[in-house]
Amino acid sequence: MSITQRVQQWATFGRVWHVYDCSYQNPFDSAKVIVKYLKGMQKPIYHPMNDCGDHVVCINTKQIALPGDEWTKRAYFHHTGYPSSATWTLAWELHSKDPMMIMKKAIYRSLGGNLQRRHTMQRLHLFKDDKVPQEVLDNITNQIRQLRPVPQRLDHIDQEVIDNFPKIMDYPEDYLPKAIK
Amino acid sequence: MNNLIKNIVCRQSFWGYPAARTLFTTPATRVKHIEISQEKDVVTVRGKTVESGREQLLVPQIKECARNGERFCPECSLGLDIKHTDVLILSQYVRSDGCMLPRRVTGLCKRQQKKIGTMVTMAHKAGLMGSLKPANCKKDPEKRYGFKKFNKYFFEDTIKLPRAICKQS
């Protein structure tokens, strides 16, 4: 085997580490994308019985965003098995307890059920903020593109930019601002 | 000297004055910056009209619409597709406490007024306009109570407009 072919072999079967920034991302839409990388479905050599999945590092899972009033409408069911021990935890309550759980459950669910699921989940690394250990950071070679643009907060924009932004409304002549005391 | 100069905003109502004072040399309801200065025995009181500071930055289509006697709307006149994340645009339509301005001030059509008003609410709920809040509010969205402290986003097509308003435009 020539050197070129050997490197080609490593590149084909080596596990790539991807990073995904979850800030302002819908966890359920993101899970569908992340699952493809975890299973290695983006590779031409993909086969369900071929162990070619990649690692995915999800950072800022505390900053995930849910649409509308879903924080209060989505419930997570749990049952310990004992009588009358069924619990329904709202998404925001679960997220306050564990900021990684919603992301983890979303990916676990969208992986689909087979015996490989638990092993595939081992290649997922979740971090609630951007503090990632250096040994994990050293492996990362690719970033997965975010699905939604991160909105900019008004108080994070420079006052100069706000002042010089083109205006599409001017106050009428008889407009009276709130009385200055 | 300094304590005599006061920045006050006064509104002179047309009807609040007796019949003898119905003639004014300047617009009666214009916002004025009143300067009181004293030099020896003479006290000078001046009312200067306050400019909004937006004249230089206005888009030219506003003046065009005003000249043609048309109503200016960002969607109808400029073809803008405003989202609730466009805080630089939405913040132009609110008061200093983040409250949406009425239609007689914004000059929008009924449909746009309703739509932009809802998007202002969305931006507030998403914590994007924390600096425009009443004094007693939590300006940092992460310090809000319960589920409100988490990030959320909205879909603009969920804004429900009454059928009558849709027909008008």
Side-chain angles (χ1 to χ4, degrees), chain B residues 32-121:
Chain B
K32 294 197 186 71
H33 172 89
I34 294 185
E35 275 185 1
I36 306 168
S37 55
Q38 193 177 22
E39 286 175 17
K40 289 176 186 174
D41 303 339
V42 187
V43 179
T44 321
V45 181
R46 280 183 195 156
K48 284 185 183 173
T49 46
V50 176
E51 301 293 340
S52 65
R54 289 187 178 182
E55 293 79 19
Q56 303 299 322
L57 297 160
L58 281 182
V59 291
Q61 283 88 342
I62 293 183
K63 283 166 193 167
E64 247 178 62
C65 285
R67 215 178 296 132
N68 301 338
E70 291 168 3
R71 187 186 289 281
F72 175 83
C73 287
E75 194 178 297
C76 321
S77 313
L78 292 180
L80 284 181
D81 181 21
I82 301 177
K83 308 275 183 205
H84 76 283
T85 48
D86 301 330
V87 282
L88 285 171
I89 292 177
L90 294 179
S91 59
Q92 296 178 21
Y93 288 107
V94 297
R95 293 199 180 97
S96 57
D97 61 350
C99 178
M100 180 73 185
L101 286 164
R103 202 160 78 94
R104 66 186 156 79
V105 177
T106 59
L108 297 166
C109 63
K110 273 189 182 174
R111 185 173 174 278
Q112 284 289 293
Q113 175 73 16
K114 173 94 180 158
K115 206 175 167 188
I116 288 180
T118 316
M119 283 195 285
V120 165
T121 315

Side-chain angles (χ1 to χ4, degrees), chain A residues 24 26 63-68 71-72 92 95-96 148 151-155 157 162-178 180, chain B residues 9 11 29-31 52 54 57-59 62 72 74 78 85 87-89 92-93 97 101 105-106 127-128 131-132 140-141 146-147 150-155:
Chain A
Y24 283 95
N26 186 320
Q63 302 296 323
I64 55 166
L66 292 188
W71 282 114
T72 51
W92 73 269
H95 199 57
S96 336
R148 296 180 59 79
Q152 209 172 10
R153 272 165 57 179
L154 192 65
D155 48 348
I157 304 173
I162 298 172
D163 292 342
N164 294 329
F165 192 77
K167 304 290 182 223
I168 54 171
M169 200 278 280
D170 196 9
Y171 300 107
E173 288 206 341
D174 56 349
Y175 172 66
L176 185 75
K178 216 174 179 186
I180 301 161
Chain B
V9 176
R11 184 179 206 174
T29 52
R30 194 82 194 261
V31 175
S52 65
R54 289 187 178 182
L57 297 160
L58 281 182
V59 291
I62 293 183
F72 175 83
L78 292 180
T85 48
V87 282
L88 285 171
I89 292 177
Q92 296 178 21
Y93 288 107
D97 61 350
L101 286 164
V105 177
T106 59
L128 301 177
S131 50
L132 293 171
D140 188 4
F147 71 94
F150 298 124
N151 293 338
K152 55 181 82 66
Y153 63 91
F154 296 91
F155 296 108

Side-chain angles (χ1 to χ4, degrees), chain A residues 117-134:
Chain A
R117 174 150 70 164
R118 305 261 172 183
H119 303 287
T120 314
M121 284 298 283
Q122 293 296 308
R123 291 197 291 273
L124 176 71
H125 312 275
L126 296 161
F127 295 95
K128 66 175 179 180
D129 45 20
D130 54 358
K131 285 173 194 145
V132 185
Q134 191 58 40

Side-chain angles (χ1 to χ4, degrees), chain A residues 103-122:
Chain A
M103 199 69 208
K104 189 181 174 184
K105 278 177 176 287
I107 293 169
Y108 185 78
R109 188 180 169 170
S110 72
L111 268 175
N114 62 20
L115 289 175
Q116 278 299 310
R117 174 150 70 164
R118 305 261 172 183
H119 303 287
T120 314
M121 284 298 283
Q122 293 296 308

